[in-house]
């Protein structure tokens, strides 16, 4: 199986403009993400719409693709990047979508997503981590929950608490069911990525504001790998301060 990793990176951000080029220790956020990913996938590219990010990645020898600025999602940006990479004669079986604001991503997380494609039924793969008995965390609508079948394929993603534990006091639900938190890393078979970027938004997606529901509602099989590592994203300048404190403490 031939894998490629694409890291979408935009300069514009409502909460943190210029985030990819922000310094985290002695390196930028985007460089730290890139170097973590290349520990397990050598064919890694940044996909950006900004010349400052483009030039920065080239400056330290990274691979980067310039894309349009009008994409509505990172998935669409990845598809354009793949078309440009394939135009050079390269071919890949699986495309791994890495968030550009997660500099602490673990190679084992990426390996877990890639391993999902050992199952030929897998069309898309993602990650989940057990909440444990933290009921407060389970209730957080910003932490989508996954219901999976007995073969590890997603049945549904929801911001609500699923499943409902009938006959149990709500504060004990996390003690009675192994709730699974969704971690937003995705990988796609190459032809599936092309297909899903052409799908219109679905009713479930619009209701929950979760893009992966568009794929489920259209019948795609999403395999869920499990990880033991929580992701640490950089969404705001405050997050960057905390991340710098973490690095400086090591």
């Amino acid at each position: 199986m031939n894998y490629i990793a694409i890291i979408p990176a935009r300069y514009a951000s409502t909460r943190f403009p210029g985030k990819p080029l922000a310094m985290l220790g002695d390196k930028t956020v985007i460089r730290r993400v890139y170097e973590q990913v290349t520990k397990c996938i050598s064919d890694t590219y940044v996909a950006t719409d900004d010349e400052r990010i483009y030039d920065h990645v080239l400056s330290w020898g990274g691979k980067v693709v310039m894309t349009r600025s009008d994409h509505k999602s990172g998935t669409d940006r990845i598809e354009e990047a793949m078309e440009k990479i394939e135009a050079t004669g390269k071919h890949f079986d699986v495309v791994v979508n890495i968030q550009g604001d997660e500099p602490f991503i673990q190679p084992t997380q990426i390996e877990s997503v890639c391993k999902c494609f050992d199952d030929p039924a897998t069309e898309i793969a993602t990650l989940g981590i057990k909440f444990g008995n933290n009921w407060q965390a389970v209730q957080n609508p910003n932490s989508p929950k996954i219901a999976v079948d007995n073969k590890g394929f997603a049945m549904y993603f929801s911001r609500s608490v699923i499943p409902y534990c009938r006959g149990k006091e709500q504060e004990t639900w996390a003690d009675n069911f192994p709730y699974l938190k969704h971690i937003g890393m995705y990988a796609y078979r190459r032809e599936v990525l092309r297909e899903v970027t052409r799908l219109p938004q679905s009713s479930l997606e619009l209701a929950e504001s979760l893009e992966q529901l568009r794929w489920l509602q259209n019948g795609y099989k999403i395999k869920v790998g499990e990880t033991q590592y929580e992701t640490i994203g950089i969404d705001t300048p405050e997050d960057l301060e905390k991340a710098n404190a973490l690095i400086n403490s090591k």
Side-chain angles (χ1 to χ4, degrees):
M1 196 77 74
N2 199 4
Y3 296 89
I4 182 173
I6 307 285
I7 309 168
R10 295 171 61 248
Y11 190 90
S13 170
T14 303
R15 289 186 289 179
F16 194 171
K19 177 170 57 177
L21 300 183
M23 295 302 296
L24 181 53
D26 60 350
K27 298 177 182 178
T28 59
V29 170
I30 192 63
R31 183 169 183 176
R32 286 190 177 275
V33 176
Y34 187 96
E35 290 181 351
Q36 285 295 98
V37 178
T38 53
K39 289 177 181 179
C40 56
I41 299 181
S42 58
D43 285 299
T44 296
Y45 292 76
V46 173
T48 187
D49 60 354
D50 190 274
E51 289 185 3
R52 288 163 289 190
I53 297 173
Y54 184 89
D55 292 340
H56 172 65
V57 176
L58 287 181
S59 73
W60 40 262
K63 291 181 273 193
V64 59
V65 179
M66 183 66 79
T67 58
R68 302 195 315 271
S69 61
D70 60 347
H71 290 301
K72 294 181 179 180
S73 71
T75 313
D76 294 335
R77 191 176 307 283
I78 289 172
E79 172 58 26
E80 184 192 353
M82 283 303 301
E83 290 171 3
K84 290 188 171 183
I85 293 166
E86 288 168 334
T88 67
K90 295 184 178 181
H91 170 76
F92 298 94
D93 301 304
V94 173
V95 185
V96 184
N97 176 357
I98 305 292
Q99 300 297 318
D101 58 3
E102 294 188 355
F104 301 105
I105 188 170
Q106 297 296 311
T108 55
Q109 292 176 303
I110 301 169
E111 290 165 358
S112 294
V113 165
C114 292
K115 189 171 176 57
C116 290
F117 291 91
D118 291 348
D119 186 335
T122 301
E123 295 176 301
I124 302 171
T126 192
L127 279 184
I129 185 171
K130 287 189 171 67
F131 279 102
N133 59 0
N134 188 339
W135 173 237
Q136 185 174 1
V138 174
Q139 294 179 89
N140 185 349
N142 294 317
S143 296
K145 275 62 69 175
I146 320 172
V148 297
D149 67 18
N150 291 340
K151 294 183 178 180
F153 287 96
M155 300 169 66
Y156 195 69
F157 298 80
S158 183
R159 296 187 184 279
S160 298
V161 179
I162 55 171
Y164 179 97
C165 287
R166 185 177 180 183
K168 305 290 184 182
E169 293 295 327
Q170 206 171 59
E171 59 269 20
T172 70
W173 284 11
D175 298 319
N176 286 278
F177 187 85
Y179 287 97
L180 194 63
K181 176 182 177 180
H182 182 227
I183 291 180
M185 182 191 303
Y186 299 102
Y188 317 80
R189 292 196 188 272
R190 175 63 189 102
E191 66 277 9
V192 171
L193 172 64
R194 186 179 293 112
E195 292 168 5
V196 298
T197 56
R198 295 171 181 170
L199 295 172
Q201 286 188 295
S202 73
S203 58
L204 290 175
E205 174 191 10
L206 291 169
E208 297 244 25
S209 190
L210 294 173
E211 184 184 21
Q212 61 271 32
L213 290 176
R214 182 191 316 182
W215 312 331
L216 270 187
Q217 198 167 355
N218 279 277
Y220 287 94
K221 298 279 286 181
I222 305 176
K223 186 90 166 188
V224 181
E226 280 201 37
T227 178
Q228 306 303 315
Y229 297 97
E230 183 65 85
T231 55
I232 303 175
I234 309 292
D235 293 321
T236 65
E238 292 74 26
D239 291 338
L240 183 66
E241 287 181 19
K242 294 176 184 176
N244 268 306
L246 179 62
I247 283 182
N248 293 333
S249 68
K250 292 183 178 180

